[in-house]
Amino acid sequence: MEYKNLGKSGLKVSRLSLGSWLTFGKQIGNNIAADLMDLAYDKGVNFFDNAEIYSKGESERVMGEILSKRDWRRDSYIVSSKAFFGDGGELPNQRGLSRKHLVEACEAALKRLKLDYLDLYYCHRPDKETPISETVWTMHNLIQQGKILYWGTSEWSAQEIMEAHMVAQQYNLIGPTMEQPQYNMFHRDKVEVEYSQIYKTVGLGTTIWSPLASGILSGKYNDGMAEKTRLSMEGLEWLKDKNLVEENLEKVRKLTKLAQEIGTSMPKMAIAWCLKNENVSTAILGASKVDQLSETLTAMDDVQLLTQEVMEKISVILDNEPSRPAF
Ligand code: NDP
């Protein structure tokens, strides 16, 4: 496993990490969740990603239970949570990025995860109804109290991230270290263009999500609907309708052929493609089966297969190169 500093921070994060969205406490049994974490940890993964909203808190409970039964040293792994969507409550202060919700969500996550502190704490989305200064002050204070070590954002615009940094600079507070954006072959603009300046200026780290676009980039939907998969799950029709479209499938069929030609599999090539981008600190993997994770955890080996020539072929197939500003 390779490790990389999370942005300009001193924290080393494994380039592949493991997430729990839609799997822990929902799609998979707790024994499989435990097997996935064991395999990941054995292979050098040091970051496990979670959020208050994942299975309405159940994902954190499952992860906490597993962690409490391992004899892994606390300094050998990183755990995150994210606040914004709440854990199921519908009252006005049970979501968002107010001081009240951030503090209460942090306490609730720590309890469910059975931890004394969170390594990473994210603002899961921007909150247009809370001043960014209130959020920055709260995150800074949570760090001062030892409840969290680093804080970051998820799906914030570059402008919002910079506003948080300006507040932090103004009052000498700790600003956001990392952003958690979607990044995969179909979803490129934010990571490749929008944030391009702030990697350099504030030293933004990225923990990217959905490297397989919810499984489509594994190639398993190439010949039609695959049963017992995320996109066949009840309640996730919105995700299926958004992603499982013929235009994407046509591209994945061509990419699958290319993966075979260069001697690898489609899921590994898709993840290696994300890792090839140096601004990706870590790619968060999702898995519903141990076999899937065994495969994707070796994706780092394939980065060297992605020569300039192969990258150009991928680019032609994808036909979605983001337009970059001329300066
Ligand atoms: P992916 O896009 O990689 O999708 C993972 C899913 O793809 C698996 O659950 C599995 O689904 C399928 N899969 C994985 N490996 C293989 C394989 N080798 N062969 C075939 N199918 C495979 O990642 P996720 O969407 O799960 O995102 C990863 C993590 O990112 C999440 O767990 C979460 O921690 C984080 N995240 C953060 C978000 C945010 O807003 N900040 C939003 C979403 C995710 P199946 O077997 O069911 O088909």
Side-chain angles (χ1 to χ4, degrees), residues 6 88 204 225 260 305:
L6 186 56
L204 185 75
M225 195 55 200
Q260 282 159 2
L305 296 177

Side-chain angles (χ1 to χ4, degrees), residues 147-244:
K147 305 264 185 202
I148 66 172
L149 302 186
Y150 301 86
W151 77 276
T153 57
S154 180
E155 296 295 336
W156 281 33
S157 67
Q159 191 181 341
E160 287 159 337
I161 295 170
M162 282 319 293
E163 194 178 331
H165 275 282
M166 279 162 60
V167 171
Q169 274 163 20
Q170 187 178 0
Y171 299 106
N172 230 358
L173 308 176
I174 299 171
T177 295
M178 68 289 173
E179 155 66 33
Q180 189 167 130
Q182 180 174 182
Y183 185 53
N184 56 53
M185 286 173 158
F186 294 140
H187 205 99
R188 304 174 56 180
D189 289 44
K190 253 188 157 68
V191 168
E192 292 186 24
V193 181
E194 187 178 338
Y195 298 149
S196 55
Q197 284 306 307
I198 52 180
Y199 298 127
K200 295 176 215 151
T201 50
V202 297
L204 185 75
T206 60
T207 64
I208 62 119
W209 60 269
S210 284
L212 293 180
S214 275
I216 294 163
L217 285 163
S218 72
K220 68 181 167 196
Y221 298 97
N222 285 2
D223 302 321
M225 195 55 200
E227 294 310 315
K228 295 196 176 142
T229 59
R230 176 180 297 181
L231 298 182
S232 67
M233 278 164 69
E234 222 182 287
L236 292 181
E237 292 78 10
W238 63 273
L239 192 63
K240 179 180 148 205
D241 294 346
K242 205 164 103 190
N243 294 293
L244 204 58

Side-chain angles (χ1 to χ4, degrees), residues 108-127:
L110 289 174
K111 233 181 236 152
R112 289 189 290 252
L113 285 162
K114 301 184 199 246
L115 296 174
D116 296 329
Y117 61 89
L118 298 170
D119 300 273
L120 308 180
Y121 192 35
Y122 292 90
C123 300
H124 210 157
R125 289 293 180 271
D127 178 358

Side-chain angles (χ1 to χ4, degrees), residues 43-63:
K43 297 288 179 193
V45 165
N46 74 354
F47 168 36
F48 299 103
D49 186 61
N50 223 317
E52 59 170 357
I53 183 68
Y54 295 171
S55 304
K56 296 183 178 165
E58 196 50 33
S59 168
E60 291 180 336
R61 256 180 233 110
V62 171
M63 192 175 277

Side-chain angles (χ1 to χ4, degrees), residues 65-82:
E65 194 58 30
I66 296 166
L67 286 171
S68 71
K69 291 189 179 136
R70 300 293 175 277
D71 57 1
W72 304 342
R73 284 175 55 135
R74 185 65 183 88
D75 59 9
S76 68
Y77 61 88
I78 296 164
V79 179
S80 73
S81 182
K82 311 184 199 85

